[in-house]
């Protein structure tokens, strides 16, 4: 009897052990690679009907089937669009974890317009009616991060054969701001120089900048976002010191390191922003009753500042000939070709350089005969002493 009970217990333990092993395998399933053709995109019901994007808000697509990966994974579906049936030059137009994919009609219209203009069409060629092709690309993720290599799946291609497309790109405008970074500040956009707009010249920017053999770049944003402009991005290079500006590995560099009055004039040609650059002598001028002539004459002899030979040095004015008083005050400016002096003036307030730019008249700062105005364009600071 004892032997029978012992044998029964052994059988029972074996069954429990087997069940435990099977449960363990079930809780740790193996990730399977998807089979070819397992990701299927439904053909849209309106594949041969006219699809007017201007009068649509969302285009809906659905997946008929999705891959079985054999394990719980996060799947991300990317809808791609192309003008070619072979899906060459495809772009992602929507991303979702769901099998119902919504494509924003306005975004699609802008994307297709860009694709057509890249092929040579102009605004005058629109509206047009074209076939457009779509497919879905699926990737899996087990945790937050990048997709798991080797498990990407691509669906079949479907078409909308009659997409009515208006010219759907917003107008290109010149930037409101330009920022300069370079070797002078360790290529740090956070400490970049903000270029100054000329009064009555929103498309004309200037700043004093130190340019050496490593060079500078500028951008409408304080970021390395692909919009930065280097040597090749300049449409033209003119000015007193233009012959010293060279290509420094893609940067705007100098064969003679030093200070430059850099002037950028922006304009629009087609869908492109054009940057014309001037590099002039870095001359700052004193103006007003502090000068010998006290006549408010531009570029008065003996009224230009000394220019530092280092990137952190001060520009220093000649000693004031007269006390300033009343409405005249102490004034300083750089000369931008084609603009009156006051359209590029600036002054020191609380030891900070403040530019008039597009703003109104600046407050008056007074000076005493014998004092000088000190300006540091690297730190945007100054002093009167």
């Amino acid at each position: 009897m004892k032997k029978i009970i012992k044998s029964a217990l052994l059988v029972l333990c074996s069954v429990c052990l087997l069940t435990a092993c099977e449960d363990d395998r079930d809780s740790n399933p193996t990730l399977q690679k998807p089979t070819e053709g397992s990701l299927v995109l439904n053909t849209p019901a309106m594949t041969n009907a006219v699809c007017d994007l201007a009068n649509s808000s969302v285009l809906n697509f659905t997946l008929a089937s999705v891959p079985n990966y054999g394990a719980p994974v996060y799947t991300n579906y990317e809808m791609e669009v192309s003008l070619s049936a072979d899906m060459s030059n495809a772009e992602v137009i929507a991303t979702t974890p769901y099998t119902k994919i919504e494509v924003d009609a306005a975004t699609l219209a802008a994307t297709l317009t860009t694709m057509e203009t890249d092929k040579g069409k102009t605004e005058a060629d629109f509206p047009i009616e074209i076939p457009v092709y779509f497919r879905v690309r699926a990737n899996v993720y087990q945790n937050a991060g990048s997709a798991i290599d080797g498990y990407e799946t691509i669906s079949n291609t479907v078409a909308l054969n009659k997409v009515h497309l208006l010219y759907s790109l917003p107008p290109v405008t010149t930037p409101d701001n330009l920022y300069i970074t370079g070797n002078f500040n360790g290529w740090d956009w956070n400490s970049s120089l903000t270029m100054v707009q000329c009064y009555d010249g929103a498309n004309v920017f200037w700043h004093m900048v130190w340019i050496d053999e490593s060079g500078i770049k500028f951008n409408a944003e304080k970021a390395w976002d692909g919009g930065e402009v280097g040597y090749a991005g300049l449409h033209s290079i003119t000015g007193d010191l233009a012959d010293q500006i060279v290509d420094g590995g893609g940067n705007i560099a100098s064969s003679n390191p030093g200070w430059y009055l850099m002037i950028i004039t922006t304009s629009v040609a087609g869908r492109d922003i054009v940057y014309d650059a001037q590099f002039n002598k870095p001359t700052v001028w004193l103006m007003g009753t502090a000068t010998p002539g006290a006549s408010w004459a531009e570029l008065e002899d003996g009224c230009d500042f000394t220019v530092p030979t280092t990137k952190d040095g001060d520009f220093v004015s000649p000693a004031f000939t007269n006390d300033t008083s009343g409405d005249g005050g102490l004034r300083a400016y750089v000369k931008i070709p084609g603009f009156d002096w006051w359209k590029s003036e600036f002054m020191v307030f609380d030891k900070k350089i403040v530019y008039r730019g597009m703003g109104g008249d600046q407050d008056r700062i007074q000076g005493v005969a014998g004092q000088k105005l000190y300006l540091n364009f690297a730190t945007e600071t100054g002093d009167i002493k």
Side-chain angles (χ1 to χ4, degrees):
M1 184 65 180
K2 289 182 178 179
K3 289 183 180 180
I4 294 173
I5 295 173
K6 184 176 181 181
S7 298
L9 288 172
L10 287 173
V11 171
L12 180 60
C13 288
S14 297
V15 171
C16 291
L17 181 61
L18 179 61
T19 303
C21 290
E22 288 177 347
D23 288 345
D24 185 62
R25 284 196 298 271
D26 289 342
S27 64
N28 293 281
T30 302
L31 188 63
Q32 302 172 4
K33 288 195 174 183
T35 57
E36 185 176 351
S38 58
L39 181 62
V40 179
L41 179 61
N42 276 323
T43 299
M46 60 183 303
T47 186
N48 291 313
V50 175
C51 176
D52 186 356
L53 294 180
N55 291 305
S56 304
S57 57
V58 172
L59 276 64
N60 291 306
F61 296 83
T62 57
L63 291 171
S65 67
V66 296
N68 178 11
Y69 296 102
V73 291
Y74 173 85
T75 308
N76 186 63
Y77 302 105
E78 293 181 338
M79 174 67 83
E80 297 180 330
V81 63
S82 175
L83 296 176
S84 303
D86 63 4
M87 296 303 292
S88 56
N89 301 314
E91 292 192 22
V92 175
I93 195 67
T95 302
T96 181
Y98 305 111
T99 56
K100 179 181 178 181
I101 304 171
E102 294 185 345
V103 174
D104 180 72
T107 302
L108 177 60
T111 301
L112 295 175
T113 303
T114 299
M115 288 179 169
E116 290 288 0
T117 55
D118 286 347
K119 291 170 58 179
K121 281 190 170 56
T122 66
E123 186 172 358
D125 294 319
F126 291 78
I128 55 178
E129 192 170 285
I130 57 174
V132 178
Y133 302 91
F134 302 86
R135 73 180 179 191
V136 173
R137 187 181 297 269
N139 281 287
V140 296
Y141 304 75
Q142 281 189 308
N143 296 299
S146 58
I148 303 172
D149 290 338
Y151 291 86
E152 183 177 78
T153 317
I154 298 175
S155 77
N156 57 306
T157 299
V158 302
L160 292 177
N161 292 311
K162 298 178 181 180
V163 174
H164 186 73
L165 179 64
L166 302 180
Y167 187 82
S168 303
L169 297 179
V172 177
T173 59
T174 56
D176 294 326
N177 298 286
L178 289 179
Y179 306 97
I180 306 171
T181 191
N183 194 48
F184 69 88
N185 73 333
W187 300 97
D188 180 11
W189 286 112
N190 292 324
S191 60
S192 59
L193 296 174
T194 302
M195 297 195 77
V196 186
Q197 289 173 292
C198 286
Y199 191 92
D200 283 343
N203 66 322
V204 180
F205 299 79
W206 69 269
H207 208 286
M208 290 292 189
V209 60
W210 177 271
I211 306 177
D212 58 20
E213 61 279 355
S214 296
I216 63 169
K217 277 187 168 74
F218 64 88
N219 195 356
E221 303 291 337
K222 293 182 178 182
W224 297 106
D225 61 358
E228 56 272 7
V229 179
Y231 186 87
L234 299 179
H235 176 256
S236 66
I237 299 175
T238 59
D240 306 330
L241 305 179
D243 60 345
Q244 298 180 12
I245 300 301
V246 296
D247 186 349
N251 300 324
I252 303 166
S254 170
S255 60
N256 183 25
W259 284 96
Y260 293 79
L261 173 54
M262 176 174 160
I263 306 166
I264 301 294
T265 301
T266 63
S267 58
V268 174
R271 299 294 302 173
D272 298 320
I273 298 176
V274 178
Y275 298 98
D276 291 293
Q278 294 182 62
F279 295 90
N280 290 337
K281 294 177 181 178
T283 309
V284 179
W285 298 90
L286 201 61
M287 171 61 81
T289 55
T291 72
S295 60
W296 301 91
E298 287 192 3
L299 312 182
E300 183 180 339
D301 287 342
C303 292
D304 54 315
F305 286 48
T306 61
V307 178
T309 57
T310 60
K311 66 181 180 181
D312 55 357
D314 288 340
F315 288 69
V316 183
S317 77
F320 308 158
T321 303
N322 309 299
D323 293 349
T324 62
S325 60
D327 186 57
L330 185 62
R331 314 287 277 274
Y333 68 99
V334 296
K335 179 60 180 176
I336 306 299
F339 290 84
D340 293 332
W341 69 270
W342 58 270
K343 295 184 178 182
S344 52
E345 71 170 321
F346 51 90
M347 188 39 61
V348 171
F349 297 89
D350 296 325
K351 297 191 176 182
K352 296 288 185 182
I353 299 175
V354 179
Y355 301 93
R356 177 168 185 171
M358 300 283 286
D361 207 356
Q362 293 184 294
D363 292 337
R364 298 292 178 253
I365 295 294
Q366 306 304 322
V368 177
Q371 288 184 316
K372 295 181 179 182
L373 176 58
Y374 297 79
L375 302 169
N376 190 304
F377 289 105
T379 58
E380 301 280 46
T381 58
D383 203 356
I384 301 168
K385 55 186 179 180

